[in-house]
Amino acid sequence: MALLEICCYGIDCALTAEQAGADRIELCAAPKEGGLTASAGVLRKVKQSVSIPVHPIIRPRGGDFCYSRAEFATMLEDIAYVRELGYPGLVIGMLDEEGHVDRLRMEQVMAASRGMAVTFHRAFDMCHNPVQALEQLSDLGVARILTSGQQENAESGLSLLRELKQRSRAPIIMAGAGVRLGNLQKFIEQGIDEVHSSAGQSVASVMRYRKAGVSMSADAEADEFNRYCVDGDVVAAMKAVLAAGKTAVSG
């Protein structure tokens, strides 16, 4: 059965994902940035509270994946912290100015992460040559690659996902971006081994008093009285589809 990883932004999401049957969690903050490193408190509390594997993302800011010297030093500090906490893996990715895997820095990441499973995230989808990147990441010892097949969503990238799976010497190819209950069967049919989903929903704030005309967001359209949460029912339904797909293949 294909493994289901759920992207979680905070401890409540992580607990919901675990209770609903997720196999693994990618732990992030800042969903509108596409995922940044969680705070020290969140990292510590999730490690204490969640028993399934959790892989925190190591990403100091939004935007591109070409980092300054100071930003990279911060990333190494974050790796040291999540390793000290005992996390079994982490999620990271970095490119050079030409859109290639930043191999020298990834070598340092792999050394700093020794004993942990390293996922190279969707920086892969921004790289210049995905086949070359796959070979480089294989040589580095990366455990998996999270990718949409270099398309806006993984369903559109199924052709490249299938090719990468066939070519991969070691890293697991994990499909992510737009993987949801309604298209999950397509990934099963292509033999994808792992899928990554937010399985999320927008939940209204419990606050009854709502101050009008004041916002903490730079986005004028932002609704600060709604927030992203993992939908446990969707996670459970996705797990059921994955189990049924495995049964059908076995049968």
Side-chain angles (χ1 to χ4, degrees), residues 43-236:
L43 287 165
R44 186 173 295 278
K45 193 64 178 176
V46 168
K47 189 67 182 70
Q48 294 170 350
S49 306
V50 176
S51 59
I52 63 173
V54 177
H55 293 183
I57 194 170
I58 306 296
R59 188 177 176 216
R61 58 159 172 81
D64 63 39
F65 303 104
C66 185
Y67 297 108
S68 70
R69 183 177 300 177
E71 288 170 337
F72 182 59
T74 299
M75 296 168 83
L76 292 178
E77 292 283 351
D78 286 337
I79 290 171
Y81 184 62
V82 301
R83 187 177 184 185
E84 177 187 332
L85 289 175
Y87 279 101
L90 56 84
V91 182
I92 197 167
M94 53 194 64
L95 305 175
D96 65 20
E97 293 89 340
E98 301 303 322
H100 302 298
V101 172
D102 191 334
R103 185 160 185 158
L104 291 177
R105 283 181 168 178
M106 280 302 298
E107 287 175 352
Q108 295 179 65
V109 165
M110 298 307 293
S113 309
R114 190 165 288 114
M116 304 174 73
V118 174
T119 298
F120 195 90
H121 60 46
R122 290 191 61 218
F124 184 89
D125 291 322
M126 308 297 286
C127 76
H128 183 73
N129 185 325
V131 173
Q132 179 187 65
L134 172 61
E135 290 301 309
Q136 292 174 329
L137 294 171
S138 298
D139 291 341
L140 284 163
V142 163
R144 67 182 49 79
I145 298 169
L146 171 61
T147 173
S148 65
Q150 294 209 318
Q151 298 296 318
E152 190 67 22
N153 61 72
E155 185 175 348
S156 299
L158 268 170
S159 176
L160 181 57
L161 287 168
R162 184 170 57 248
E163 179 184 352
L164 292 170
K165 176 179 166 59
Q166 292 169 348
R167 287 178 175 270
S168 181
R169 291 185 279 112
I172 295 165
I173 303 302
M174 178 166 58
V179 176
R180 52 180 60 90
L181 183 59
N183 62 13
L184 192 54
Q185 188 63 38
K186 295 182 179 181
F187 299 96
I188 295 172
E189 291 168 356
Q190 295 300 322
I192 300 300
D193 297 308
E194 297 188 0
V195 293
H196 170 101
S197 178
S198 61
Q201 62 179 335
S202 181
V203 176
S205 169
V206 298
M207 292 189 69
R208 291 186 292 274
Y209 174 74
R210 301 187 177 192
K211 178 69 174 178
V214 179
S215 175
M216 299 300 292
S217 176
D219 180 0
E221 303 300 318
D223 180 356
E224 292 167 326
F225 294 99
N226 276 281
R227 60 191 177 89
Y228 163 90
C229 290
V230 168
D231 188 330
D233 291 339
V234 172
V235 174

